[in-house]
């Protein structure tokens, strides 16, 4: 899909809403305009476009801007394919 459809700009193994209690089909994928931020890949041609402009901070927010995505979408699974340990990070809450 990633190489065949230029309107798809990433494929991810993460779905922000893909919790076990809320997901049903482990084989189902769907398109979304929301950049998932974890476990994703893109084509080299897209990296050639984005790489020179890549921000030093908050790159995931930058990827979600319309001026960056240009209406392109990502493929995400209904159920997550990765596990985020998330112990330290810019947007992590202290416990």
């Amino acid at each position: 899909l990633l190489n065949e459809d230029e309107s798809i700009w990433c494929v991810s193994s993460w779905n922000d809403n893909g919790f076990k209690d809320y997901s049903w089909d482990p084989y189902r994928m769907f398109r979304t305009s929301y950049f998932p931020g974890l476990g994703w890949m893109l084509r080299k041609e897209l990296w050639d476009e984005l790489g020179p402009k890549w921000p030093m901070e908050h790159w995931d927010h930058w990827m979600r801007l319309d001026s960056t995505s240009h209406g392109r979408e990502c493929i995400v699974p209904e159920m997550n394919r990765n596990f985020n340990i998330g112990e330290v990070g810019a947007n992590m809450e202290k416990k």
Side-chain angles (χ1 to χ4, degrees), residues 7-60:
S7 70
I8 297 172
W9 76 326
C10 79
V11 174
S12 179
S13 61
W14 182 256
N15 172 358
D16 284 346
N17 297 305
F19 302 111
K20 188 169 79 172
D21 294 342
Y22 302 110
S23 303
W24 303 275
D25 187 345
Y27 300 102
R28 187 179 198 170
M29 299 181 297
F30 60 93
R31 294 175 75 122
T32 179
S33 59
Y34 185 78
F35 177 72
L38 297 172
W40 55 278
M41 64 181 177
L42 50 77
R43 295 183 313 276
K44 180 191 178 305
E45 295 80 14
L46 184 57
W47 175 250
D48 292 342
E49 172 191 328
L50 299 176
K53 302 180 266 185
W54 199 263
M56 296 300 291
E57 295 180 339
H58 307 294
W59 59 267
D60 52 335

Side-chain angles (χ1 to χ4, degrees), residues 58 84-94:
H58 307 294
N84 180 21
I85 59 171
E87 293 180 9
V88 177
N91 295 318
M92 301 301 298
E93 293 181 20
K94 301 226 186 272

Side-chain angles (χ1 to χ4, degrees), residues 54-88:
W54 199 263
M56 296 300 291
E57 295 180 339
H58 307 294
W59 59 267
D60 52 335
H61 301 283
W62 176 76
M63 289 285 283
R64 293 180 182 117
L65 297 174
D66 290 337
S67 58
T68 306
S69 68
H70 299 290
R72 296 171 286 202
E73 297 179 314
C74 292
I75 301 293
V76 298
E78 184 171 294
M79 295 180 73
N80 290 323
R81 301 294 193 272
N82 65 5
F83 178 74
N84 180 21
I85 59 171
E87 293 180 9
V88 177

